[in-house]
Each structure stands twice: as C-alpha cells, then as structure tokens.
C-alpha cells in the first residue's frame, strides 16, 4: 500500500533473503521505521531473525497501525535491526546492515528502502 489514513492500519510486506554464511547468533528485533519530520516505528514481533538460514527467503506481512496524530505527508520506510542490549540499541555500529546493492541506503543504523508511505488525514 502506498497511501494510508492517520489512525488506520496499513499492510506492509517485505522479503528477507539470507545470502550470507550464517544466521545471526543473537536475537534482533525487526523494527519498521516510518520517517518524516515526526516519524513513528513498529516492531515486527512474530519473526526470529536467527531462523533465517543461508539461501532462505522469507516474506513477512505485517499490519502497521499509523498513529492517529501522524501528520499528513510522505514517510520514508526503513528497517532497523539494532542490538537489543539497552547500552547498544542506539549504537548504529552494532546494528545489522543489509547487503543489498541497490534500493537500500544505510544511515544511522537503519536500512532505508526506496519506498514511501503517503499519510493523509
């Protein structure tokens, strides 16, 4: 979905593919981040990144509730895979960076996709 109304739920789908050699050893929260001047984020709680074995692709479909007070505008969509330790969570050096060669920008510990969500009132 490319548009949403503040206060309503929007479906989000993304595909994760492990092209590496091993899955992460420690648990990592998957957090979808929606950013404009006043952004919001939602944790994707039903998937354990440690189960993503090499060569495997997993499609995640989640419903994200847009806050009722979200101002209208275009929100950039990102995925944060931070270290869950309270002392490391805000340290971008400890976050997982996706290895995509196109369509993903790494900035401050968040993998930003070439995608936006337009929120209206």
């Amino acid at each position: 979905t490319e548009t949403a109304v503040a206060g309503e739920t929007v479906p989000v789908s993304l595909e994760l593919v492990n092209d590496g050699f091993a899955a992460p050893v420690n648990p990592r929260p998957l957090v979808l981040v929606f950013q404009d001047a006043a952004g919001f984020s939602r944790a994707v709680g039903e998937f354990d990144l440690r189960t993503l074995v090499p060569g495997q692709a997993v499609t995640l479909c989640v419903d994200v509730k847009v806050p009722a007070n979200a101002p209208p505008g275009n929100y950039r969509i990102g995925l944060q895979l931070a270290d869950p330790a309270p002392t490391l969570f805000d340290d971008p050096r400890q976050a997982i960076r996706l290895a995509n060669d196109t369509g993903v920008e790494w900035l401050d510990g968040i993998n930003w996709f070439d995608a936006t969500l337009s929120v209206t009132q």
Side-chain angles (χ1 to χ4, degrees), residues 14-79:
L14 63 115
E15 182 179 55
L16 295 175
V17 179
N18 182 350
D19 281 336
F21 297 103
V25 174
N26 298 320
R28 296 284 175 145
L30 277 75
V31 178
L32 287 170
V33 180
F34 298 83
Q35 182 187 52
D36 79 337
F40 63 96
S41 62
R42 293 294 178 259
V44 179
E46 63 269 1
F47 181 71
D48 186 347
L49 194 61
R50 296 174 295 175
T51 64
L52 189 59
V53 297
Q56 180 183 15
V58 173
T59 300
L60 300 174
C61 299
V62 296
D63 291 327
V64 175
K65 183 167 175 71
V66 178
N69 62 349
N74 291 321
Y75 289 73
R76 191 174 180 191
I77 302 172
L79 180 65

